Amino acid sequence: MLDFRCIPIPTEVGGRWGRSGVDDSGNRLRRMVAEARPAEPDGSRHNGTGAPCRHCLRDAEEGEELLLGSYRMPRPQGIYWTPSPIFVHAGRCQQFARINTVASIVRNRLVSIRAYDHDDQCIYDLGHAGNGNEIDGPLIHALEDRRTAFVNIHTAKPGCMLCRVERL
Ligand SMILES: [Zn+2]
């Protein structure tokens, strides 16, 4: 049994953003109110909205206030580094802390898995894109690979970072 955890952004990020009004790149933050998420083309509905908070790792409820800003991802460093647009609750929320649990914001959308080694090199053959409800197999496969230092999970369509995943 492999133990892992989904790693949210540090609590200080939302607090700093809220106080300063700017994101990690100096952009003025956008304040948004979460709206109900429209049904999928097949008629299925998701819980919450389309605004996943990267601190509590849940989709905002309709009416909740969010900050939208550019986050300087801690890893990968170097050639593969990118910033990512993220939502974070404008008010306080509980930082995600469960182990061996795929966060709900991963479950209810199309996602991509990006595995990186200890030198922050992308391991292409462990990459995967698919429905978040069916991500366990590819995720565990990537985490079990001895080359893998960490995995980042992104939304598959816009490409925004959802969370990092590491072995415990
Ligand atoms: Zn939150």
Side-chain angles (χ1 to χ4, degrees):
M1 175 67 188
L2 179 138
D3 292 317
F4 68 94
R5 68 183 185 119
C6 292
I7 301 172
I9 63 168
T11 300
E12 67 87 17
V13 173
R16 173 164 48 81
W17 284 13
R19 286 190 303 276
S20 69
V22 296
D23 67 16
D24 291 357
S25 296
N27 303 301
R28 187 199 300 234
L29 291 161
R30 293 185 187 162
R31 290 184 174 271
M32 327 251 314
V33 176
E35 297 178 353
R37 190 171 178 176
E40 294 293 303
D42 66 1
S44 64
R45 286 193 168 275
H46 300 289
N47 294 328
T49 68
C53 174
R54 271 52 163 217
H55 182 250
C56 59
L57 301 187
R58 66 172 178 82
D59 276 295
E61 304 286 341
E62 185 177 1
E64 287 182 336
E65 292 185 38
L66 298 149
L67 303 175
L68 174 64
S70 180
Y71 175 59
R72 294 186 70 84
M73 291 169 54
R75 292 188 83 178
Q77 287 294 309
I79 292 168
Y80 287 91
W81 178 82
T82 61
S84 176
I86 63 166
F87 287 112
V88 61
H89 276 112
R92 289 190 182 195
C93 61
Q94 184 75 37
Q95 189 182 38
F96 183 87
R98 289 196 289 279
I99 64 167
N100 297 333
T101 302
V102 175
S104 64
I105 60 171
V106 173
R107 289 299 192 195
N108 55 11
R109 48 177 49 85
L110 290 174
V111 298
S112 67
I113 285 175
R114 303 178 188 176
Y116 299 89
D117 71 12
H118 293 274
D119 294 320
D120 293 63
Q121 167 69 38
C122 186
I123 308 172
Y124 288 94
D125 59 282
L126 295 179
H128 175 83
N131 187 318
N133 288 321
E134 300 160 0
I135 210 69
D136 301 63
L139 176 62
I140 297 301
H141 177 66
L143 291 170
E144 283 179 340
D145 194 289
R146 292 172 59 91
R147 295 170 295 171
T148 301
F150 64 97
V151 170
N152 283 345
I153 301 180
H154 292 250
T155 55
K157 283 193 267 192
C160 305
M161 184 275 301
L162 288 168
C163 65
R164 187 166 82 246
V165 187
E166 291 182 359
R167 290 183 294 261
L168 290 179

